[in-house]
Amino acid sequence: MVLRILPPSAGPTICRVLLKTAASRLAVHSLRPVLVPLCHCSRYSTTAAHLGDAPPTDLAHTRNIGIIAHIDAGKTTTTERMLFYSGFSRRMGDVDEGSTVMDYLPAERARGITITSACITFPWHAHTFNLIDTPGHADFTFEVERAIRVLDGAVTILDGVAGVEAQTEKVWRQADRYNIPRIIFVNKLDRMGAGFGRTVKEIGVKLNGWPAVVQIPIYETDEASEEVFKGVVDVIENRVFRWGQIGGDGRNVEVYDYNWLKEKMPKLHEEALRARVALVELLSEFDDGLVEMYLELGDHHFIPAMEIKKVLRRLTLDGQGRVIPIFCGASFRNIGVQPLLDGVVDYLPSPQDRPPSPVSYYQGRETALLDMSDSRICALAFKVIHDPKRGMMVFVRVYSGILTRASHLLNTNLQTKERAQRLLRMYADDAVDIPSIPTGHIGVVLGLKHARTGDTLISEPTVPKHSPHHQHSKNLLPSVLHKEGTLELRPITVPPPVFFASLEPNTLSEQKHLEEVLQILLREDPSLHVNIDPDSGQTLLSGMGELHLEIARDRLVNDLKAKADMGRINIGYRETITGSLGPVVRKMYDREVMGRRSAAAIGAAVGSVDNFNADYDTAETTYNDIIRLDSENTLTVTVFQRMPAPGLGEGGLLHNISPKPCAPGNEDIHLPQHLQSYATTLRPALLSGALAALARGPFLGFPLHSTHVHLTLNPNTDVFSASESTSSAMTSATRLSITAALKSSFDETISDGIGNGSKGRVQLMEPVMNVAISVPENDLGTVVSDISGARGGNVYALDDDVDDSLEHDRHAHSRHVVGHAATAQQPAQPHGPGGTMRVEEETFMIDPTRVYAPPDATESSHKSDSRYEFRVRTIRARVPLKEMIGYLRHLRSLTKGRGSFVMAVDRFERMDKGRERAILLETRGEKKYVVEI
C-alpha cells in the first residue's frame, strides 16, 4: 500500500478512493493531513460476492499463515478483524456473543474458546491469505501441531497485560521445531495494566529472540487523566496511524508524518527516533550491507525504509527466531490490525520463500528434498473432519504439482489408492467447489476413504509401456514398481495421552455403532486413543486433558449420535519394585503346540532401577547385554558359559554344573547353534517376553516403571533341542519367569497380613505434572497456598525465576539416560522421535539489558498500586496429576475467572503410604485388584 504523507494541520480530510491518486490531489489543493481508510469498500467485495472467486496462483502473492497464542490472547478476535477489513465479512463477529466466523462449532460458541483449528481464505490487496486460527487451550495442542506443520508463517498474539504466557512458550517451541517464520502482535494495549515495553522484554528473555520493534503505541490523556490507547507509530516508514473515533469500526485511520508527531507529542517523537536507531543497530549486527549503508549515509534515519524491510524480512524468513518483528494494537478496539496485515505481506514468506520440504524413501532409509516445481502431485493430509452432509473431508497442503478433481492418488503411508472426487476451498464451516488446488495452497479433498492425519498423497506412479512390469502392474504394489511409491513427507507428531475415562454403550445393541463412530473420532483426532481393558472388557478413551475428553464425549453423543456414557476420569498409575535385585526365580515353559513340544527355561530377578544406575560402570563389565526400555525400565542379560558334558541326566539336562558368566561379546560362542547370532535371534525373543511381563504389574495391574529386570540364561540347563527351544519358546519362558519374580515381590508385600503394601517391595507411582499457573497478582498468595497445601504440590518458581517452557523444564529435571551396551546399529532417520524434525538448540541467550523496549506510559501514569491487581504472575509447580483433575473450575473460582494454567507430564514419582492407601481403597471399591483406567 502506497501512502503519501502530507504536512500537519488542524483538520483532516476524508478520502475513500484510491490512496495514491487521492493523496496526490490533496497535496495540490490542501496542506492538511489525509484521513485514509486502510480498507477500501470499492476494492473488496463482501463474502457473498467473492466466495467462488479463484485466488491468484502466483505463489509470490500467497501467504499460508496461522494465528498461535495462549488462550484468551485475542486470536479469534484478531482474525475476525482481518476478515472484516479485507472485505470478506460485512460485520465483525464477537466471541462473547458467539457470532464469530471462525468459531463455528456449537461447543466453541457456548464456551467462548477455540476448540478446533479453522481454515479460511481471503484477499488482502493483491495477496491471498490462507489463514488457520488455532486453539490456545493446552488440551488442544495437537490442533496447533498439525496446523503449524503445513504453515509457511505464523502470527503470535500476546496479551499486553499478561505478557508471554506459558502456552505461548509451548506453541513458540512447536514452531521452532519446524523453523516457521513468525511475527508478534502485542494485543490488548487498551486495557489497564498493559505494558508494551515490559512485554517486549519478556519476548527477549522467554522466547530467546531479539525483538525488532517496528511499531510503538500511542497513548493520549483523556478528560479523566487516564491514558487511552489511540494508535501506533511506524518507526520504519516514519508514519503515525491514529484511530481517533472511539467505538468505530476502525476503517478510518488518520495517517500523519513525523512533523505532526513532533508538534503534538514531542516525547513520543523522540522515542520513535530512538526506536529507529535501536532497530537499525539490531539489524546491523546480522547484515554487513546495512552497516556499509549507514557508514555511507552517516545517519540511521537516512537509511531507506525499503532497505530496512528487506533486511528484516531476510532475518525473519530463516525461521530460527533470532530477530522477531514486533507489532502492537488492540483488536477488540479495532486498532492496529490493518498494519499487521501489511506486516504479514512484508515479513512472512510465500511458499516460494520456504526451503524445500524434506522427504524420505523406503521408510526413512533414504532422504531427499522435494522439488516444488515438479509436476507430480505431492500433498500432505494434515486434518480430517467428518461432515454429516459431505462425508470425510481431508485437509491437504499441496507441496508440488496441481491437485485436480478426479485425480488418482497413492497414499504412500498405507499403500492404498485413492481418488479425489471433489475439491473444496474452505471458509471456516462454508465451502466452495474448486477445480484444482495449486502448488503451495491449502484445500479440502472429498472422496478419500483411507487418508489419515499425516499421510502423504502423491500422483499414482505409472509404469512405462516398454517396462517388463507393465503387463503385471495392476497386480503389483506401486512401491515395488517405483521408488516414488515409498515417498513420505515429514509426519506429524502425536503427543501421548494424559487423561483416561471409561466409555460404555447404553445397551449391547449399541456396541457396534459405538465402535464405528469411535473409528471416525480417532480418524479426526489422532491425539485420542481407544483401548480395551483385557480383564473388564471396558472401552477406555484417553486424551490430552479433561476438556479434551469432555469435547470428545459431546462429539460422540451430540454429533455422531452414539448412545453411550462416559465414566469418571481415571489416571494411569505405575508400579515399581524397590530395593536391590531379589532372588532369581527360574521358570520353565513346557507345552505342546500343534503336536510339537515347545520348551525352554530362564531365570529372572527384579529390583529398582535406581540401584542399577548408581553402579552403572560396574554393570557394563558385568552383564552381557543392557537394554534400556520405555518407562525408565532396564533389562540386563547374563549368559553362562557352555560346559562340556560329563554325562546327561534325565531328559537330556546336565546336572551338578556351576558355570561362570561368559564375557560380554562372547555369547555366540556358548549358545547352541540355532540361537547363535545373539543380537538378531535370542535378544529380540528375550526383549519381547520382558515387555509383555512388564506391561502388567503384580499389585493392581498397572505397567511397571523404573524397574530393573535381570535375566540369567544357562545354555546347559535352560536350552533344549533346536525344534523345542525356539525363539517363541524363549519369549514365553522369559514372560513366565519375570511374572513369577514380580509376583514374588508382591507376595513379600502382603506377607505382613495387612494386604495394603505397607512393608513390601512393590510400590505405586503416580504421574506428576509440571504446571504453569497464570493468575492476577492479588490472587497469588491464595493460589500458592492451595497448590502447596491441599494439593500437595511443590512450587519451585514464580514469574521470571525460570525462563523456559514446561517442555524444557521436563527435560531439565528428567533422569539421566545412559547409553546402551551391545545394541544394534540403527539406520539414520530423517526425522526425530515421533516424526519431528531435529533442530539444533541455539546456544546463545538474550541479554535483557540489551533489548530495546519503549517505556510503558500506562504503568507510569497510574499513581496508585491498583494496577498490580491486573498484573499477571506465573506460578510454576510440580503437582500430582490426580490433584489437577477438575482444577480449572477451582482455579477460576479462586481468581474470579481470570486464572488459567497449562501442564505437561514431568515424571512418575513414588507415592507416600497415605496417598497409596487412598488409591488402593478407591480402586478396590470398583474392582478388587484391577483399576479400570
Side-chain angles (χ1 to χ4, degrees):
M1 180 178 59
V2 180
L3 294 177
R4 182 178 178 183
I5 308 304
L6 302 178
S9 183
T13 300
I14 298 181
C15 173
R16 287 187 179 271
V17 292
L18 293 179
L19 300 179
K20 186 174 180 180
T21 305
S24 301
R25 287 200 297 263
L26 286 172
V28 176
H29 299 288
S30 174
L31 294 179
R32 294 180 294 178
V34 183
L35 183 61
V36 183
L38 292 185
C39 171
H40 333 290
C41 296
S42 60
R43 186 169 184 176
Y44 298 108
S45 57
T46 60
T47 306
H50 77 266
L51 265 179
D53 296 344
T57 57
D58 183 6
L59 288 183
H61 292 82
T62 300
R63 298 291 184 269
N64 297 316
I65 63 171
I67 308 293
I68 60 175
H70 189 91
I71 190 172
D72 290 333
K75 299 182 299 299
T76 303
T77 301
T78 303
T79 304
E80 291 295 317
R81 271 59 183 173
M82 290 180 174
L83 299 179
F84 177 74
Y85 297 133
S86 68
F88 180 90
S89 57
R90 294 178 181 271
R91 61 183 297 271
M92 290 178 281
D94 188 276
V95 174
D96 297 330
E97 296 176 356
S99 59
T100 59
V101 174
M102 303 302 285
D103 289 347
Y104 57 87
L105 295 177
E108 293 178 317
R109 294 185 172 181
R111 299 171 187 270
I113 62 172
T114 301
I115 294 173
T116 181
S117 56
C119 182
I120 198 164
T121 301
F122 64 91
W124 179 249
H125 296 337
H127 293 75
T128 296
F129 285 15
N130 296 314
L131 183 143
I132 299 179
D133 182 23
T134 65
H137 198 285
D139 282 14
F140 308 108
T141 183
F142 178 68
E143 285 289 325
V144 182
E145 181 77 22
R146 60 181 173 183
I148 287 178
R149 169 63 185 86
V150 298
L151 295 176
D152 296 324
V155 178
T156 305
I157 311 291
L158 299 184
D159 187 333
V161 179
V164 180
E165 299 175 89
Q167 184 67 10
T168 302
E169 298 179 55
K170 187 171 184 178
V171 298
W172 187 267
R173 281 165 176 79
Q174 285 179 287
D176 275 340
R177 288 202 296 268
Y178 297 104
N179 286 341
I180 300 298
R182 284 143 284 172
I183 62 177
I184 288 180
F185 179 66
V186 182
N187 193 24
K188 301 188 179 183
L189 292 182
D190 60 312
R191 293 177 54 189
M192 182 178 293
F196 178 71
R198 168 171 46 82
T199 303
V200 170
K201 291 282 188 181
E202 290 186 16
I203 291 171
V205 172
K206 294 186 176 182
L207 303 184
N208 201 29
W210 291 104
V213 179
V214 299
Q215 293 178 351
I216 58 176
I218 300 174
Y219 287 92
E220 298 179 7
T221 306
D222 62 4
E223 298 177 354
S225 299
E226 293 288 340
E227 296 290 342
V228 180
F229 181 53
K230 300 290 288 187
V232 298
V233 178
D234 186 338
V235 301
I236 297 180
E237 297 278 2
N238 295 341
R239 297 184 298 182
V240 178
F241 297 97
R242 184 178 180 274
W243 283 259
Q245 183 181 359
I246 302 298
D249 59 13
R251 289 195 292 184
N252 295 328
V253 185
E254 300 171 12
V255 182
Y256 300 98
D257 64 1
Y258 269 22
N259 293 327
W260 179 91
L261 185 64
K262 184 177 181 180
E263 177 184 342
K264 299 294 184 180
M265 303 177 182
K267 291 185 178 179
L268 184 61
H269 176 258
E270 294 176 1
E271 190 61 43
L273 296 179
R274 285 192 292 269
R276 184 182 177 92
V277 170
L279 177 62
V280 172
E281 290 183 352
L282 171 63
L283 300 181
S284 298
E285 296 184 13
F286 300 92
D287 188 270
D288 294 336
L290 203 60
V291 176
E292 296 176 358
M293 185 173 297
Y294 166 74
L295 295 176
E296 180 181 348
L297 299 176
D299 195 304
H300 299 82
H301 306 287
F302 292 163
I303 299 178
M306 292 305 299
E307 294 298 327
I308 298 177
K309 285 186 175 183
K310 186 186 301 182
V311 175
L312 183 54
R313 176 179 174 82
R314 180 179 60 81
L315 295 175
T316 305
L317 294 189
D318 67 5
Q320 299 180 17
R322 294 179 300 171
V323 177
I324 311 165
I326 310 297
F327 295 80
C328 59
S331 298
F332 188 73
R333 301 297 180 188
N334 309 321
I335 298 177
V337 177
Q338 299 98 321
L340 174 63
L341 287 168
D342 289 338
V344 170
V345 173
D346 291 338
Y347 304 115
L348 291 185
S350 70
Q352 291 178 331
D353 298 320
R354 297 290 289 151
S357 299
V359 296
S360 62
Y361 297 94
Y362 304 115
Q363 298 181 345
R365 291 193 293 271
E366 294 184 17
T367 61
L369 295 177
L370 183 66
D371 185 4
M372 180 183 292
S373 62
D374 196 331
S375 60
R376 292 170 293 184
I377 301 171
C378 182
L380 180 71
F382 67 93
K383 185 179 177 69
V384 179
I385 291 179
H386 177 266
D387 186 271
K389 297 181 180 179
R390 305 184 183 99
M392 282 295 181
M393 303 171 60
V394 181
F395 288 72
V396 298
R397 160 74 189 266
V398 179
Y399 286 91
S400 70
I402 299 177
L403 179 57
T404 58
R405 190 184 299 134
S407 296
H408 291 273
L409 304 172
L410 173 68
N411 186 324
T412 59
N413 297 81
L414 301 176
Q415 288 297 302
T416 58
K417 297 179 181 180
E418 303 266 24
R419 183 174 180 271
Q421 297 178 358
R422 291 173 58 193
L423 303 179
L424 304 177
R425 187 188 311 131
M426 294 305 299
Y427 299 95
D429 60 337
D430 293 328
V432 173
D433 281 273
I434 54 177
S436 64
I437 305 175
T439 301
H441 282 266
I442 295 172
V444 172
V445 183
L446 301 184
L448 303 184
K449 299 180 180 180
H450 308 286
R452 310 161 304 174
T453 297
D455 284 352
T456 300
L457 304 171
I458 66 172
S459 302
E460 185 178 346
T462 57
V463 182
K465 293 184 178 181
H466 62 271
S467 171
H469 298 292
H470 177 71
Q471 295 180 352
H472 308 284
S473 60
K474 294 183 179 180
N475 301 323
L476 295 177
L477 286 177
S479 58
V480 178
L481 302 176
H482 271 294
K483 175 181 177 180
E484 286 76 8
T486 65
L487 181 148
E488 292 183 9
L489 289 160
R490 186 194 322 169
I492 300 175
T493 307
V494 180
V498 178
F499 280 78
F500 304 80
S502 61
L503 191 65
E504 293 293 336
N506 293 345
T507 62
L508 288 177
S509 61
E510 296 291 335
Q511 178 70 35
K512 183 178 180 181
H513 178 63
L514 177 61
E515 294 175 355
E516 292 174 353
V517 297
L518 278 176
Q519 292 302 317
I520 295 175
L521 191 66
L522 295 181
R523 190 177 173 190
E524 284 187 341
D525 188 355
S527 62
L528 289 170
H529 298 261
V530 173
N531 61 297
I532 307 297
D533 186 283
D535 291 320
S536 66
Q538 269 193 319
T539 301
L540 307 178
L541 181 66
S542 55
M544 301 303 299
E546 289 179 86
L547 184 59
H548 190 202
L549 292 182
E550 189 176 337
I551 296 299
R553 179 200 61 197
D554 294 343
R555 177 93 171 108
L556 280 173
V557 175
N558 300 329
D559 299 337
L560 300 178
K561 307 303 180 184
K563 296 180 180 180
D565 294 324
M566 183 175 289
R568 63 182 180 85
I569 295 176
N570 294 282
I571 300 171
Y573 296 100
R574 297 292 185 268
E575 298 179 20
T576 189
I577 308 298
T578 60
S580 57
L581 285 175
V584 176
V585 177
R586 182 179 179 273
K587 286 291 181 180
M588 180 174 175
Y589 173 78
D590 192 350
R591 187 171 300 176
E592 187 173 310
V593 180
M594 298 181 65
R596 294 185 179 182
R597 185 192 182 205
S598 180
I602 200 168
V606 294
S608 173
V609 79
D610 296 333
N611 298 72
F612 171 81
N613 289 337
D615 196 20
Y616 179 77
D617 294 337
T618 304
E620 280 190 301
T621 59
T622 303
Y623 302 113
N624 293 95
D625 196 2
I626 301 174
I627 307 173
R628 291 290 189 178
L629 308 177
D630 293 336
S631 300
E632 300 186 21
N633 295 316
T634 299
L635 174 66
T636 57
V637 181
T638 296
V639 179
F640 287 98
Q641 296 178 359
R642 187 174 180 85
M643 306 295 292
L648 296 178
E650 183 180 354
L653 298 179
L654 294 171
H655 297 297
N656 301 321
I657 296 179
S658 300
K660 297 180 180 180
C662 68
N666 294 333
E667 298 85 9
D668 290 345
I669 299 176
H670 301 281
L671 290 174
Q673 185 175 2
H674 70 281
L675 293 179
Q676 288 181 2
S677 184
Y678 166 81
T680 59
T681 304
L682 183 58
R683 188 178 194 262
L686 300 180
L687 181 59
S688 298
L691 292 176
L694 292 174
R696 191 168 186 82
F699 193 5
L700 294 173
F702 293 110
L704 273 297
H705 193 284
S706 302
T707 299
H708 174 204
V709 178
H710 178 54
L711 300 178
T712 56
L713 178 65
N714 186 348
N716 305 283
T717 59
D718 296 341
V719 182
F720 300 88
S721 65
S723 61
E724 296 173 336
S725 298
T726 60
S727 296
S728 60
M730 296 303 303
T731 297
S732 300
T734 302
R735 180 178 57 82
L736 285 177
S737 297
I738 297 177
T739 302
L742 293 172
K743 188 176 184 302
S744 175
S745 299
F746 176 69
D747 290 338
E748 295 178 29
T749 301
I750 62 176
S751 61
D752 57 1
I754 299 177
N756 58 9
S758 58
K759 295 183 179 179
R761 300 182 61 220
V762 179
Q763 192 171 357
L764 286 180
M765 302 182 74
E766 64 179 340
V768 176
M769 310 303 289
N770 201 356
V771 185
I773 309 170
S774 300
V775 297
E777 179 146 2
N778 60 337
D779 297 319
L780 184 66
T782 304
V783 176
V784 168
S785 177
D786 177 66
I787 285 292
S788 58
R791 300 187 180 272
N794 174 31
V795 178
Y796 64 87
L798 295 175
D799 274 341
D800 298 331
D801 295 340
V802 176
D803 298 324
D804 212 339
S805 68
L806 292 176
E807 185 176 354
H808 185 276
D809 290 341
R810 176 171 61 85
H811 292 305
H813 295 90
S814 61
R815 300 183 181 181
H816 178 66
V817 179
V818 294
H820 302 233
T823 56
Q825 183 71 23
Q826 299 293 329
Q829 299 292 334
H831 314 302
T836 58
M837 177 63 71
R838 295 189 179 100
V839 179
E840 296 294 332
E841 294 291 336
E842 294 287 351
T843 57
F844 70 88
M845 295 296 293
I846 299 299
D847 181 3
T849 61
R850 296 183 57 200
V851 174
Y852 165 77
D856 290 327
T858 55
E859 292 192 358
S860 63
S861 65
H862 291 179
K863 299 179 181 179
S864 67
D865 290 336
S866 62
R867 68 183 183 273
Y868 291 115
E869 178 183 353
F870 301 94
R871 181 185 175 189
V872 176
R873 301 289 299 274
T874 300
I875 305 166
R876 296 183 184 267
R878 294 184 182 86
V879 189
L881 175 58
K882 179 177 174 58
E883 302 299 331
M884 298 305 295
I885 295 180
Y887 181 68
L888 181 60
R889 295 184 181 90
H890 181 68
L891 176 64
R892 287 176 175 172
S893 67
L894 292 178
T895 60
K896 301 179 182 63
R898 296 191 182 97
S900 64
F901 76 95
V902 294
M903 63 182 182
V905 178
D906 183 47
R907 56 191 171 190
F908 281 84
E909 289 185 354
R910 294 175 183 172
M911 303 171 65
D912 57 45
K913 296 302 178 183
R915 294 183 62 84
E916 186 178 275
R917 189 176 299 109
I919 296 300
L920 185 61
L921 294 175
E922 178 183 341
T923 54
R924 283 183 173 175
E926 297 180 7
K927 196 171 182 179
K928 188 172 182 180
Y929 285 107
V930 180
V931 182
E932 299 167 358
I933 61 172

